[in-house]
Amino acid sequence: MSSSGNREFGYELGEVVIPEDAIEKKVAELGADIAVDYRDRTPLLVGVLKGAMIFMSDLIRELDFPLEVDMMAISSYGSSTSNSGVVRILKDLDTDLTGRHVLIVEDIVDSGLTLSYLTRNLLSRNPASLEICSLIVKDGHSRQSSEIRYVGFHIPPVFVVGYGLDIGERFRNLRQIYSYDVEDSQ
Ligand code: 5GP
Protein backbone atom coordinates (compact mmCIF):
# COMPACT_ATOMS: atom_id res chain seq x y z
CA MET A 1 0.00 0.00 0.00
CA SER A 2 1.28 3.43 -0.81
CA SER A 3 1.85 5.85 2.00
CA SER A 4 0.16 9.21 1.96
CA GLY A 5 3.14 10.61 3.81
CA ASN A 6 1.14 11.18 6.96
CA ARG A 7 3.61 12.22 9.61
CA GLU A 8 2.44 12.06 13.18
CA PHE A 9 4.83 11.80 16.12
CA GLY A 10 7.66 11.77 13.61
CA TYR A 11 6.74 8.45 12.02
CA GLU A 12 5.43 7.90 8.57
CA LEU A 13 2.05 6.21 8.55
CA GLY A 14 -0.27 5.15 5.78
CA GLU A 15 -3.65 6.70 5.15
CA VAL A 16 -6.36 7.24 7.75
CA VAL A 17 -8.56 4.16 7.67
CA ILE A 18 -10.96 5.26 10.42
CA PRO A 19 -11.03 8.94 11.44
CA GLU A 20 -11.50 10.11 15.00
CA ASP A 21 -15.08 11.36 14.61
CA ALA A 22 -16.17 8.05 13.05
CA ILE A 23 -14.65 6.13 15.98
CA GLU A 24 -16.41 8.38 18.49
CA LYS A 25 -19.76 8.00 16.76
CA LYS A 26 -19.41 4.23 16.43
CA VAL A 27 -18.39 3.72 20.07
CA ALA A 28 -21.51 5.65 21.12
CA GLU A 29 -23.67 3.46 18.84
CA LEU A 30 -22.13 0.26 20.19
CA GLY A 31 -22.70 1.55 23.71
CA ALA A 32 -26.38 2.18 22.92
CA ASP A 33 -26.79 -1.36 21.52
CA ILE A 34 -25.02 -2.92 24.48
CA ALA A 35 -27.12 -0.88 26.91
CA VAL A 36 -30.33 -2.29 25.42
CA ASP A 37 -29.11 -5.86 25.92
CA TYR A 38 -27.27 -5.57 29.24
CA ARG A 39 -28.91 -2.81 31.28
CA ASP A 40 -30.36 -5.18 33.89
CA ARG A 41 -27.65 -7.84 33.85
CA THR A 42 -24.63 -6.20 35.53
CA PRO A 43 -22.31 -7.53 32.82
CA LEU A 44 -18.63 -8.21 33.20
CA LEU A 45 -16.73 -6.61 30.35
CA VAL A 46 -13.50 -8.47 29.65
CA GLY A 47 -10.93 -6.38 27.83
CA VAL A 48 -8.05 -7.93 25.97
CA LEU A 49 -4.82 -6.10 26.71
CA LYS A 50 -3.18 -4.16 25.49
CA GLY A 51 -4.91 -3.31 22.23
CA ALA A 52 -8.46 -3.00 23.59
CA MET A 53 -7.64 -0.68 26.48
CA ILE A 54 -8.57 2.57 24.75
CA PHE A 55 -11.70 1.17 23.13
CA MET A 56 -12.73 -0.33 26.48
CA SER A 57 -12.26 2.91 28.38
CA ASP A 58 -14.30 4.88 25.83
CA LEU A 59 -16.98 2.18 25.57
CA ILE A 60 -17.70 1.86 29.30
CA ARG A 61 -18.21 5.62 29.56
CA GLU A 62 -21.10 5.22 27.11
CA LEU A 63 -22.78 2.76 29.50
CA ASP A 64 -24.83 4.32 32.28
CA PHE A 65 -25.79 1.21 34.27
CA PRO A 66 -24.00 -1.10 36.73
CA LEU A 67 -21.21 -3.15 35.18
CA GLU A 68 -17.81 -4.57 36.07
CA VAL A 69 -14.57 -4.61 34.13
CA ASP A 70 -11.72 -7.08 34.10
CA MET A 71 -8.69 -7.37 31.86
CA MET A 72 -6.81 -10.26 30.40
CA ALA A 73 -3.43 -10.16 28.72
CA ILE A 74 -2.70 -12.69 26.04
CA SER A 75 0.08 -13.10 23.55
CA SER A 76 0.06 -14.82 20.21
CA TYR A 77 3.15 -16.67 19.18
CA GLY A 78 4.43 -15.60 15.79
CA SER A 79 5.75 -12.41 14.28
CA SER A 80 4.32 -9.03 15.20
CA THR A 81 2.14 -8.90 12.09
CA SER A 82 0.99 -12.49 11.68
CA ASN A 83 -0.72 -14.88 14.03
CA SER A 84 0.09 -18.58 14.33
CA GLY A 85 -3.05 -19.22 16.38
CA VAL A 86 -1.12 -20.33 19.45
CA VAL A 87 -2.18 -18.16 22.36
CA ARG A 88 -0.63 -17.81 25.79
CA ILE A 89 -2.31 -16.17 28.80
CA LEU A 90 0.05 -13.59 30.29
CA LYS A 91 -2.42 -12.21 32.81
CA ASP A 92 -5.59 -14.05 33.73
CA LEU A 93 -8.85 -12.56 34.98
CA ASP A 94 -9.33 -11.72 38.65
CA THR A 95 -13.07 -12.43 38.45
CA ASP A 96 -14.92 -15.74 38.76
CA LEU A 97 -17.06 -16.02 35.63
CA THR A 98 -19.56 -18.53 37.02
CA GLY A 99 -23.09 -17.29 36.33
CA ARG A 100 -21.87 -13.94 34.94
CA HIS A 101 -22.96 -12.22 31.76
CA VAL A 102 -19.60 -11.78 30.07
CA LEU A 103 -18.87 -9.49 27.15
CA ILE A 104 -15.43 -9.81 25.57
CA VAL A 105 -14.16 -6.45 24.31
CA GLU A 106 -11.65 -6.88 21.48
CA ASP A 107 -9.75 -4.35 19.42
CA ILE A 108 -9.53 -6.20 16.13
CA VAL A 109 -10.35 -9.63 14.74
CA ASP A 110 -8.31 -10.85 11.81
CA SER A 111 -8.17 -14.65 11.39
CA GLY A 112 -10.37 -15.10 14.45
CA LEU A 113 -7.89 -17.56 15.97
CA THR A 114 -7.26 -15.47 19.07
CA LEU A 115 -10.96 -15.02 19.64
CA SER A 116 -11.66 -18.69 19.08
CA TYR A 117 -9.14 -19.62 21.77
CA LEU A 118 -10.46 -16.98 24.14
CA THR A 119 -14.08 -17.99 23.65
CA ARG A 120 -13.34 -21.65 24.36
CA ASN A 121 -11.30 -20.75 27.40
CA LEU A 122 -13.92 -18.42 28.91
CA LEU A 123 -16.86 -20.72 28.11
CA SER A 124 -15.18 -23.46 30.14
CA ARG A 125 -15.58 -21.19 33.20
CA ASN A 126 -19.40 -21.48 33.11
CA PRO A 127 -20.59 -17.93 32.45
CA ALA A 128 -24.36 -17.35 32.20
CA SER A 129 -23.71 -15.86 28.75
CA LEU A 130 -20.74 -14.93 26.61
CA GLU A 131 -20.80 -12.42 23.76
CA ILE A 132 -18.16 -10.54 21.81
CA CYS A 133 -17.77 -6.89 20.91
CA SER A 134 -14.97 -6.04 18.50
CA LEU A 135 -14.21 -2.54 17.31
CA ILE A 136 -12.84 -3.85 14.00
CA VAL A 137 -13.30 -7.01 11.97
CA LYS A 138 -11.11 -7.54 8.93
CA ASP A 139 -12.97 -8.60 5.81
CA GLY A 140 -12.14 -11.88 4.17
CA HIS A 141 -10.06 -13.32 6.95
CA SER A 142 -12.37 -13.69 9.89
CA ARG A 143 -13.86 -17.11 10.24
CA GLN A 144 -15.67 -16.08 13.38
CA SER A 145 -17.30 -12.86 12.24
CA SER A 146 -20.83 -14.29 12.37
CA GLU A 147 -20.27 -15.05 16.04
CA ILE A 148 -19.35 -11.49 16.90
CA ARG A 149 -22.47 -9.85 18.28
CA TYR A 150 -21.28 -6.25 18.20
CA VAL A 151 -19.00 -5.10 15.39
CA GLY A 152 -17.80 -1.52 15.01
CA PHE A 153 -16.15 -1.49 11.59
CA HIS A 154 -15.39 -3.92 8.80
CA ILE A 155 -12.11 -3.01 7.08
CA PRO A 156 -10.10 -4.55 4.25
CA PRO A 157 -7.27 -6.90 5.26
CA VAL A 158 -4.63 -4.22 5.83
CA PHE A 159 -2.45 -3.85 8.92
CA VAL A 160 -3.64 -0.93 11.02
CA VAL A 161 -2.33 1.02 14.02
CA GLY A 162 -3.67 3.66 16.37
CA TYR A 163 -6.46 3.91 18.98
CA GLY A 164 -4.81 1.20 21.08
CA LEU A 165 -3.41 -0.83 18.19
CA ASP A 166 0.35 -1.01 17.95
CA ILE A 167 3.27 -2.24 16.02
CA GLY A 168 6.22 -2.96 18.29
CA GLU A 169 4.38 -1.05 21.07
CA ARG A 170 4.23 2.15 19.03
CA PHE A 171 1.24 4.17 17.84
CA ARG A 172 -1.27 3.08 20.52
CA ASN A 173 -1.73 6.74 21.46
CA LEU A 174 -2.95 7.94 18.06
CA ARG A 175 -6.56 9.17 18.01
CA GLN A 176 -7.29 7.81 14.53
CA ILE A 177 -6.69 4.42 12.95
CA TYR A 178 -4.10 4.37 10.16
CA SER A 179 -2.89 1.76 7.75
CA TYR A 180 0.72 0.81 8.21
CA ASP A 181 2.85 -0.57 5.45
CA VAL A 182 4.89 -3.18 7.28
CA GLU A 183 7.34 -3.97 4.48
CA ASP A 184 8.27 -0.36 3.80
CA SER A 185 8.93 0.56 7.37
CA GLN A 186 11.13 -2.19 8.83
P1 5GP B 1 -6.42 -12.95 14.93
O1 5GP B 1 -6.17 -14.02 15.95
O2 5GP B 1 -7.89 -12.63 14.78
O3 5GP B 1 -5.77 -13.25 13.61
O4 5GP B 1 -5.66 -11.65 15.42
C1 5GP B 1 -6.12 -10.94 16.51
C2 5GP B 1 -5.02 -10.15 17.17
O5 5GP B 1 -3.93 -9.88 16.26
C3 5GP B 1 -5.55 -8.80 17.59
O6 5GP B 1 -6.08 -8.86 18.90
C4 5GP B 1 -4.33 -7.93 17.47
O7 5GP B 1 -3.57 -8.03 18.65
C5 5GP B 1 -3.54 -8.54 16.34
N1 5GP B 1 -3.85 -7.88 15.05
C6 5GP B 1 -4.55 -8.40 14.02
N2 5GP B 1 -4.63 -7.53 13.01
C7 5GP B 1 -3.98 -6.42 13.41
C8 5GP B 1 -3.72 -5.13 12.80
O8 5GP B 1 -4.10 -4.82 11.66
N3 5GP B 1 -3.01 -4.24 13.55
C9 5GP B 1 -2.56 -4.52 14.79
N4 5GP B 1 -1.87 -3.55 15.42
N5 5GP B 1 -2.77 -5.71 15.40
C10 5GP B 1 -3.48 -6.65 14.72
CSV table of all heavy atoms in Angstrom, one decimal, residues 48-52 74 76 80-85 87 106-116 136 138 141-142 144 155-162 164-168 170 172 178 180, ligand 1:
chain,number,residue,atom,x,y,z
A,48,VAL,N,-9.3,-7.2,26.3
A,48,VAL,CA,-8.1,-7.9,26.0
A,48,VAL,C,-6.9,-6.9,25.8
A,48,VAL,O,-6.9,-6.1,24.9
A,48,VAL,CB,-8.3,-8.8,24.7
A,48,VAL,CG1,-7.0,-9.6,24.4
A,48,VAL,CG2,-9.5,-9.6,24.8
A,49,LEU,N,-6.0,-7.0,26.7
A,49,LEU,CA,-4.8,-6.1,26.7
A,49,LEU,C,-3.8,-6.5,25.6
A,49,LEU,O,-3.8,-7.6,25.3
A,49,LEU,CB,-4.1,-6.2,28.1
A,49,LEU,CG,-4.9,-5.6,29.3
A,49,LEU,CD1,-4.2,-5.9,30.6
A,49,LEU,CD2,-5.0,-4.1,29.1
A,50,LYS,N,-3.0,-5.6,25.1
A,50,LYS,CA,-3.2,-4.2,25.5
A,50,LYS,C,-4.1,-3.4,24.5
A,50,LYS,O,-4.5,-2.3,24.8
A,50,LYS,CB,-1.8,-3.5,25.5
A,50,LYS,CG,-0.8,-4.1,26.5
A,50,LYS,CD,0.6,-3.5,26.3
A,50,LYS,CE,1.6,-4.3,26.9
A,50,LYS,NZ,3.0,-3.8,26.5
A,51,GLY,N,-4.3,-4.0,23.3
A,51,GLY,CA,-4.9,-3.3,22.2
A,51,GLY,C,-6.3,-2.7,22.5
A,51,GLY,O,-6.7,-1.7,22.0
A,52,ALA,N,-7.1,-3.4,23.4
A,52,ALA,CA,-8.5,-3.0,23.6
A,52,ALA,C,-8.6,-1.9,24.7
A,52,ALA,O,-9.7,-1.5,25.0
A,52,ALA,CB,-9.3,-4.2,23.9
A,74,ILE,N,-3.1,-11.5,26.8
A,74,ILE,CA,-2.7,-12.7,26.0
A,74,ILE,C,-1.6,-12.4,25.0
A,74,ILE,O,-1.5,-11.2,24.6
A,74,ILE,CB,-3.9,-13.4,25.4
A,74,ILE,CG1,-4.6,-12.4,24.4
A,74,ILE,CG2,-4.9,-13.9,26.4
A,74,ILE,CD1,-5.7,-13.0,23.6
A,76,SER,N,0.1,-13.8,21.3
A,76,SER,CA,0.1,-14.8,20.2
A,76,SER,C,1.5,-15.1,19.8
A,76,SER,O,2.3,-14.2,19.7
A,76,SER,CB,-0.7,-14.3,19.0
A,76,SER,OG,-1.9,-13.8,19.4
A,80,SER,N,5.2,-10.1,14.7
A,80,SER,CA,4.3,-9.0,15.2
A,80,SER,C,3.1,-8.8,14.3
A,80,SER,O,2.2,-8.2,14.7
A,80,SER,CB,5.1,-7.7,15.4
A,80,SER,OG,5.8,-7.4,14.2
A,81,THR,N,3.2,-9.2,13.0
A,81,THR,CA,2.1,-8.9,12.1
A,81,THR,C,1.4,-10.1,11.6
A,81,THR,O,0.6,-10.0,10.7
A,81,THR,CB,2.7,-8.1,10.9
A,81,THR,OG1,3.7,-8.8,10.3
A,81,THR,CG2,3.2,-6.7,11.3
A,82,SER,N,1.7,-11.3,12.1
A,82,SER,CA,1.0,-12.5,11.7
A,82,SER,C,0.7,-13.3,12.9
A,82,SER,O,1.4,-13.2,13.9
A,82,SER,CB,1.8,-13.3,10.6
A,82,SER,OG,2.9,-13.9,11.3
A,83,ASN,N,-0.3,-14.2,12.8
A,83,ASN,CA,-0.7,-14.9,14.0
A,83,ASN,C,-0.7,-16.4,13.7
A,83,ASN,O,-1.4,-16.8,12.8
A,83,ASN,CB,-2.1,-14.4,14.4
A,83,ASN,CG,-2.5,-15.0,15.8
A,83,ASN,OD1,-1.9,-15.8,16.3
A,83,ASN,ND2,-3.6,-14.5,16.3
A,84,SER,N,0.0,-17.1,14.5
A,84,SER,CA,0.1,-18.6,14.3
A,84,SER,C,-1.1,-19.3,14.9
A,84,SER,O,-1.3,-20.5,14.7
A,84,SER,CB,1.4,-19.1,15.0
A,84,SER,OG,1.3,-18.8,16.4
A,85,GLY,N,-1.9,-18.6,15.8
A,85,GLY,CA,-3.0,-19.2,16.4
A,85,GLY,C,-2.7,-19.8,17.7
A,85,GLY,O,-3.6,-20.3,18.4
A,87,VAL,N,-2.0,-19.3,21.5
A,87,VAL,CA,-2.2,-18.2,22.4
A,87,VAL,C,-1.7,-18.5,23.8
A,87,VAL,O,-1.9,-19.6,24.2
A,87,VAL,CB,-3.7,-17.8,22.4
A,87,VAL,CG1,-4.0,-16.7,23.4
A,87,VAL,CG2,-4.1,-17.4,21.0
A,106,GLU,N,-12.9,-6.7,22.3
A,106,GLU,CA,-11.7,-6.9,21.5
A,106,GLU,C,-11.4,-5.6,20.6
A,106,GLU,O,-12.3,-4.9,20.3
A,106,GLU,CB,-11.9,-8.1,20.5
A,106,GLU,CG,-11.2,-9.3,21.0
A,106,GLU,CD,-9.7,-9.4,20.8
A,106,GLU,OE1,-9.0,-8.3,20.7
A,106,GLU,OE2,-9.1,-10.5,20.6
A,107,ASP,N,-10.1,-5.4,20.3
A,107,ASP,CA,-9.7,-4.3,19.4
A,107,ASP,C,-10.0,-4.7,18.0
A,107,ASP,O,-10.7,-4.0,17.2
A,107,ASP,CB,-8.3,-4.0,19.6
A,107,ASP,CG,-7.3,-5.2,19.6
A,107,ASP,OD1,-7.8,-6.3,19.4
A,107,ASP,OD2,-6.1,-5.0,19.9
A,108,ILE,N,-9.5,-5.9,17.6
A,108,ILE,CA,-9.5,-6.2,16.1
A,108,ILE,C,-9.5,-7.7,16.0
A,108,ILE,O,-8.8,-8.4,16.7
A,108,ILE,CB,-8.4,-5.5,15.4
A,108,ILE,CG1,-8.5,-5.7,13.9
A,108,ILE,CG2,-7.0,-6.0,15.9
A,108,ILE,CD1,-7.6,-4.8,13.1
A,109,VAL,N,-10.3,-8.2,15.1
A,109,VAL,CA,-10.4,-9.6,14.7
A,109,VAL,C,-9.9,-9.8,13.3
A,109,VAL,O,-10.4,-9.2,12.4
A,109,VAL,CB,-11.8,-10.2,14.9
A,109,VAL,CG1,-11.8,-11.7,14.5
A,109,VAL,CG2,-12.2,-10.1,16.4
A,110,ASP,N,-8.9,-10.6,13.1
A,110,ASP,CA,-8.3,-10.8,11.8
A,110,ASP,C,-8.7,-12.3,11.4
A,110,ASP,O,-9.7,-12.5,10.8
A,110,ASP,CB,-6.8,-10.6,11.8
A,110,ASP,CG,-6.2,-10.7,10.5
A,110,ASP,OD1,-6.9,-11.0,9.5
A,110,ASP,OD2,-5.0,-10.5,10.3
A,111,SER,N,-7.8,-13.3,11.7
A,111,SER,CA,-8.2,-14.6,11.4
A,111,SER,C,-9.3,-15.2,12.3
A,111,SER,O,-9.9,-16.2,12.0
A,111,SER,CB,-6.9,-15.5,11.5
A,111,SER,OG,-6.5,-15.6,12.9
A,112,GLY,N,-9.4,-14.6,13.5
A,112,GLY,CA,-10.4,-15.1,14.4
A,112,GLY,C,-9.8,-16.2,15.4
A,112,GLY,O,-10.5,-16.6,16.3
A,113,LEU,N,-8.5,-16.5,15.2
A,113,LEU,CA,-7.9,-17.6,16.0
A,113,LEU,C,-7.8,-17.2,17.4
A,113,LEU,O,-8.0,-18.0,18.3
A,113,LEU,CB,-6.5,-17.9,15.4
A,113,LEU,CG,-6.5,-18.6,14.1
A,113,LEU,CD1,-5.1,-18.7,13.5
A,113,LEU,CD2,-7.0,-20.0,14.2
A,114,THR,N,-7.4,-15.9,17.7
A,114,THR,CA,-7.3,-15.5,19.1
A,114,THR,C,-8.6,-15.5,19.8
A,114,THR,O,-8.7,-16.0,20.9
A,114,THR,CB,-6.7,-14.0,19.1
A,114,THR,OG1,-5.5,-14.0,18.3
A,114,THR,CG2,-6.5,-13.5,20.5
A,115,LEU,N,-9.6,-15.1,19.1
A,115,LEU,CA,-11.0,-15.0,19.6
A,115,LEU,C,-11.5,-16.4,19.9
A,115,LEU,O,-12.2,-16.7,20.9
A,115,LEU,CB,-11.9,-14.3,18.7
A,115,LEU,CG,-13.1,-13.7,19.3
A,115,LEU,CD1,-12.7,-12.8,20.4
A,115,LEU,CD2,-13.8,-12.8,18.2
A,116,SER,N,-11.2,-17.3,19.0
A,116,SER,CA,-11.7,-18.7,19.1
A,116,SER,C,-11.1,-19.3,20.3
A,116,SER,O,-11.8,-20.0,21.1
A,116,SER,CB,-11.3,-19.4,17.8
A,116,SER,OG,-11.2,-20.8,18.0
A,136,ILE,N,-13.1,-3.6,15.4
A,136,ILE,CA,-12.8,-3.9,14.0
A,136,ILE,C,-12.8,-5.3,13.7
A,136,ILE,O,-12.3,-6.2,14.4
A,136,ILE,CB,-11.4,-3.3,13.6
A,136,ILE,CG1,-11.4,-1.8,14.0
A,136,ILE,CG2,-11.1,-3.5,12.2
A,136,ILE,CD1,-10.0,-1.2,13.9
A,138,LYS,N,-11.7,-7.6,10.3
A,138,LYS,CA,-11.1,-7.5,8.9
A,138,LYS,C,-11.9,-8.4,8.0
A,138,LYS,O,-12.1,-9.6,8.3
A,138,LYS,CB,-9.6,-8.0,9.0
A,138,LYS,CG,-8.7,-6.9,9.5
A,138,LYS,CD,-7.3,-7.3,9.2
A,138,LYS,CE,-6.4,-6.5,10.1
A,138,LYS,NZ,-5.0,-6.9,9.9
A,141,HIS,N,-10.9,-12.4,6.2
A,141,HIS,CA,-10.1,-13.3,7.0
A,141,HIS,C,-10.8,-13.9,8.1
A,141,HIS,O,-10.4,-15.0,8.6
A,141,HIS,CB,-8.9,-12.6,7.5
A,141,HIS,CG,-7.8,-12.3,6.5
A,141,HIS,ND1,-6.8,-13.1,6.3
A,141,HIS,CD2,-7.7,-11.3,5.5
A,141,HIS,CE1,-6.0,-12.7,5.3
A,141,HIS,NE2,-6.6,-11.6,4.8
A,142,SER,N,-11.8,-13.2,8.6
A,142,SER,CA,-12.4,-13.7,9.9
A,142,SER,C,-13.3,-14.8,9.7
A,142,SER,O,-14.4,-14.7,9.1
A,142,SER,CB,-13.1,-12.5,10.6
A,142,SER,OG,-13.6,-13.0,11.8
A,144,GLN,N,-14.7,-16.1,12.3
A,144,GLN,CA,-15.7,-16.1,13.4
A,144,GLN,C,-16.6,-14.9,13.3
A,144,GLN,O,-17.4,-14.7,14.2
A,144,GLN,CB,-14.9,-15.9,14.7
A,144,GLN,CG,-14.8,-17.2,15.5
A,144,GLN,CD,-13.8,-18.2,14.9
A,144,GLN,OE1,-12.9,-17.7,14.3
A,144,GLN,NE2,-14.1,-19.4,15.0
A,155,ILE,N,-13.1,-3.7,7.9
A,155,ILE,CA,-12.1,-3.0,7.1
A,155,ILE,C,-11.5,-4.1,6.2
A,155,ILE,O,-11.5,-5.2,6.5
A,155,ILE,CB,-11.0,-2.3,7.9
A,155,ILE,CG1,-10.2,-3.3,8.8
A,155,ILE,CG2,-11.6,-1.2,8.8
A,155,ILE,CD1,-8.9,-2.7,9.3
A,156,PRO,N,-10.8,-3.6,5.1
A,156,PRO,CA,-10.1,-4.5,4.3
A,156,PRO,C,-8.9,-5.1,5.0
A,156,PRO,O,-8.5,-4.6,6.0
A,156,PRO,CB,-9.6,-3.7,3.1
A,156,PRO,CG,-10.2,-2.3,3.2
A,156,PRO,CD,-10.7,-2.2,4.6
A,157,PRO,N,-8.4,-6.2,4.5
A,157,PRO,CA,-7.3,-6.9,5.3
A,157,PRO,C,-5.9,-6.2,5.2
A,157,PRO,O,-5.0,-6.6,4.6
A,157,PRO,CB,-7.2,-8.3,4.6
A,157,PRO,CG,-7.8,-8.1,3.3
A,157,PRO,CD,-8.8,-7.0,3.3
A,158,VAL,N,-5.9,-5.0,5.7
A,158,VAL,CA,-4.6,-4.2,5.8
A,158,VAL,C,-4.2,-4.2,7.3
A,158,VAL,O,-5.1,-4.3,8.2
A,158,VAL,CB,-4.8,-2.8,5.3
A,158,VAL,CG1,-5.0,-2.8,3.8
A,158,VAL,CG2,-5.9,-2.0,6.0
A,159,PHE,N,-2.9,-4.0,7.5
A,159,PHE,CA,-2.5,-3.8,8.9
A,159,PHE,C,-2.7,-2.4,9.4
A,159,PHE,O,-2.4,-1.5,8.7
A,159,PHE,CB,-1.0,-4.2,9.0
A,159,PHE,CG,-0.5,-4.4,10.4
A,159,PHE,CD1,-0.7,-5.6,11.1
A,159,PHE,CD2,0.1,-3.4,11.2
A,159,PHE,CE1,-0.4,-5.8,12.4
A,159,PHE,CE2,0.5,-3.6,12.5
A,159,PHE,CZ,0.2,-4.8,13.1
A,160,VAL,N,-3.3,-2.3,10.5
A,160,VAL,CA,-3.6,-0.9,11.0
A,160,VAL,C,-3.1,-0.7,12.4
A,160,VAL,O,-2.8,-1.6,13.2
A,160,VAL,CB,-5.2,-0.7,11.1
A,160,VAL,CG1,-5.7,-0.6,9.7
A,160,VAL,CG2,-5.9,-1.8,11.9
A,161,VAL,N,-2.8,0.6,12.7
A,161,VAL,CA,-2.3,1.0,14.0
A,161,VAL,C,-3.1,2.2,14.5
A,161,VAL,O,-3.8,2.9,13.7
A,161,VAL,CB,-0.8,1.4,14.0
A,161,VAL,CG1,0.0,0.1,13.6
A,161,VAL,CG2,-0.5,2.5,13.0
A,162,GLY,N,-3.0,2.5,15.8
A,162,GLY,CA,-3.7,3.7,16.4
A,162,GLY,C,-4.9,3.3,17.2
A,162,GLY,O,-5.3,2.1,17.1
A,164,GLY,N,-5.1,2.4,20.3
A,164,GLY,CA,-4.8,1.2,21.1
A,164,GLY,C,-4.0,0.2,20.3
A,164,GLY,O,-3.3,-0.7,20.9
A,165,LEU,N,-4.1,0.2,19.0
A,165,LEU,CA,-3.4,-0.8,18.2
A,165,LEU,C,-2.0,-0.4,17.9
A,165,LEU,O,-1.7,0.8,17.6
A,165,LEU,CB,-4.1,-1.0,16.9
A,165,LEU,CG,-5.5,-1.7,17.0
A,165,LEU,CD1,-6.3,-1.4,15.7
A,165,LEU,CD2,-5.3,-3.2,17.2
A,166,ASP,N,-1.1,-1.4,18.0
A,166,ASP,CA,0.3,-1.0,18.0
A,166,ASP,C,1.1,-1.8,16.9
A,166,ASP,O,0.5,-2.7,16.3
A,166,ASP,CB,1.0,-1.4,19.3
A,166,ASP,CG,1.3,-2.9,19.4
A,166,ASP,OD1,0.3,-3.6,19.1
A,166,ASP,OD2,2.4,-3.3,19.7
A,167,ILE,N,2.3,-1.3,16.6
A,167,ILE,CA,3.3,-2.2,16.0
A,167,ILE,C,4.5,-2.0,16.8
A,167,ILE,O,5.0,-0.9,17.0
A,167,ILE,CB,3.5,-2.0,14.5
A,167,ILE,CG1,4.5,-3.0,14.0
A,167,ILE,CG2,3.9,-0.6,14.2
A,167,ILE,CD1,4.4,-3.3,12.5
A,168,GLY,N,5.0,-3.1,17.4
A,168,GLY,CA,6.2,-3.0,18.3
A,168,GLY,C,6.0,-2.0,19.4
A,168,GLY,O,6.9,-1.2,19.8
A,170,ARG,N,4.4,0.7,19.4
A,170,ARG,CA,4.2,2.2,19.0
A,170,ARG,C,2.8,2.4,18.5
A,170,ARG,O,2.2,1.5,18.0
A,170,ARG,CB,5.3,2.5,18.0
A,170,ARG,CG,6.6,2.7,18.6
A,170,ARG,CD,7.8,3.0,17.7
A,170,ARG,NE,7.4,3.2,16.3
A,170,ARG,CZ,8.1,2.9,15.3
A,170,ARG,NH1,9.3,2.3,15.4
A,170,ARG,NH2,7.7,3.1,14.0
A,172,ARG,N,0.0,3.3,19.8
A,172,ARG,CA,-1.3,3.1,20.5
A,172,ARG,C,-2.0,4.4,20.9
A,172,ARG,O,-3.2,4.4,21.0
A,172,ARG,CB,-1.0,2.3,21.8
A,172,ARG,CG,-0.5,0.9,21.7
A,172,ARG,CD,-0.5,0.2,23.0
A,172,ARG,NE,0.3,-1.0,23.0
A,172,ARG,CZ,-0.1,-2.2,22.6
A,172,ARG,NH1,-1.3,-2.3,22.0
A,172,ARG,NH2,0.7,-3.2,22.7
A,178,TYR,N,-4.8,4.2,11.4
A,178,TYR,CA,-4.1,4.4,10.2
A,178,TYR,C,-3.7,3.0,9.6
A,178,TYR,O,-3.4,2.1,10.4
A,178,TYR,CB,-2.8,5.1,10.4
A,178,TYR,CG,-3.0,6.5,10.9
A,178,TYR,CD1,-3.1,6.8,12.3
A,178,TYR,CD2,-2.9,7.6,10.0
A,178,TYR,CE1,-3.3,8.1,12.7
A,178,TYR,CE2,-3.0,8.9,10.5
A,178,TYR,CZ,-3.2,9.2,11.8
A,178,TYR,OH,-3.4,10.4,12.3
A,180,TYR,N,-0.7,0.8,8.0
A,180,TYR,CA,0.7,0.8,8.2
A,180,TYR,C,1.4,-0.2,7.3
A,180,TYR,O,1.1,-1.4,7.3
A,180,TYR,CB,1.0,0.4,9.7
A,180,TYR,CG,2.4,0.6,10.1
A,180,TYR,CD1,2.9,1.9,10.5
A,180,TYR,CD2,3.3,-0.5,10.0
A,180,TYR,CE1,4.2,2.0,10.8
A,180,TYR,CE2,4.6,-0.3,10.4
A,180,TYR,CZ,5.1,1.0,10.8
A,180,TYR,OH,6.4,1.1,11.1
B,1,5GP,P1,-6.4,-12.9,14.9
B,1,5GP,O1,-6.2,-14.0,15.9
B,1,5GP,O2,-7.9,-12.6,14.8
B,1,5GP,O3,-5.8,-13.3,13.6
B,1,5GP,O4,-5.7,-11.6,15.4
B,1,5GP,C1,-6.1,-10.9,16.5
B,1,5GP,C2,-5.0,-10.2,17.2
B,1,5GP,O5,-3.9,-9.9,16.3
B,1,5GP,C3,-5.6,-8.8,17.6
B,1,5GP,O6,-6.1,-8.9,18.9
B,1,5GP,C4,-4.3,-7.9,17.5
B,1,5GP,O7,-3.6,-8.0,18.7
B,1,5GP,C5,-3.5,-8.5,16.3
B,1,5GP,N1,-3.9,-7.9,15.1
B,1,5GP,C6,-4.6,-8.4,14.0
B,1,5GP,N2,-4.6,-7.5,13.0
B,1,5GP,C7,-4.0,-6.4,13.4
B,1,5GP,C8,-3.7,-5.1,12.8
B,1,5GP,O8,-4.1,-4.8,11.7
B,1,5GP,N3,-3.0,-4.2,13.6
B,1,5GP,C9,-2.6,-4.5,14.8
B,1,5GP,N4,-1.9,-3.6,15.4
B,1,5GP,N5,-2.8,-5.7,15.4
B,1,5GP,C10,-3.5,-6.6,14.7
